Amino acid sequence: MGAHHHHDHHEASGSELTKVAQATLEKSGEQWTTMRASIFDALAKFDKPASAYDIADAVSKAEGRRVAANSVYRILDLFVGANLARRVESSNAYIANAHPDCLHDCIFLVCDSCGQTTHIDDDKIANNVRHAAEAAGFSPVRPVIEVRGKCSECEHAA
């Protein structure tokens, strides 16, 4: 299977994405707590990958109380494990998964100029990476591919 497209819940409606994320988390046996909902909502509002500190600040401002980054990290780890969020490894930042009800390896296009990060699905590329790892005697668990460069907006602005 090559590249394909999904219904993007994030673009359709923030509340639709939240509903799908909640259902996905609950299906995995976890609870959708008020704090988890607040962190997911804050994460989903960022238009670029956000650090745990960015998210903690956003939730703290929204709730009028301090939320510690270490609490956010724990919830983000849960979200990554449940496919609700993706971690951009090179920047230690997170993005909400626009289709949490579908599992794919991560392929990120990261703009070095503006920081915009685009997640694409291409099972052919991901499978080739998995097969190459296995051929080298390695058992891939969660491949993450990051392509650094310039987005089309930054490329045209130069």
Side-chain angles (χ1 to χ4, degrees):
M1 179 186 298
H4 60 277
H5 299 284
H6 298 272
H7 173 66
D8 192 334
H9 302 289
H10 186 268
E11 304 229 345
S13 161
S15 64
E16 182 182 346
L17 176 60
T18 299
K19 286 178 191 172
V20 173
Q22 179 178 355
T24 302
L25 188 65
E26 289 174 344
K27 192 176 358 175
S28 76
E30 295 288 343
Q31 292 183 339
W32 186 257
T33 65
T34 303
M35 179 57 82
R36 290 173 181 177
S38 296
I39 289 173
F40 186 82
D41 289 343
L43 175 63
K45 288 179 182 170
F46 282 93
D47 61 349
K48 295 179 185 169
S51 71
Y53 293 96
D54 296 332
I55 297 164
D57 285 345
V59 174
S60 294
K61 288 176 186 168
E63 295 189 0
R65 64 180 181 89
R66 185 181 172 280
V67 174
N70 63 349
S71 298
V72 174
Y73 272 118
R74 283 193 298 274
I75 292 172
L76 289 170
D77 286 344
L78 173 71
F79 286 173
V80 169
N83 202 40
L84 305 184
R86 304 285 189 156
R87 183 171 184 263
V88 181
E89 304 287 337
S90 62
S91 58
N92 192 25
Y94 300 82
I95 60 173
N97 185 355
H99 42 90
D101 47 351
C102 189
L103 287 172
H104 293 280
D105 292 332
C106 294
I107 302 173
F108 290 119
L109 308 177
V110 182
C111 181
D112 289 326
S113 296
C114 70
Q116 187 63 46
T117 301
T118 303
H119 173 247
I120 61 171
D121 292 325
D122 189 321
D123 290 339
K124 184 177 179 182
I125 292 171
N127 287 336
N128 285 341
V129 169
R130 282 181 172 276
H131 293 309
E134 290 165 357
F138 188 80
S139 296
V141 174
R142 191 179 53 90
V144 176
I145 302 166
E146 295 185 21
V147 179
R148 309 284 311 197
K150 284 190 176 182
C151 68
S152 59
E153 279 188 36
C154 290
E155 187 67 29
H156 293 340

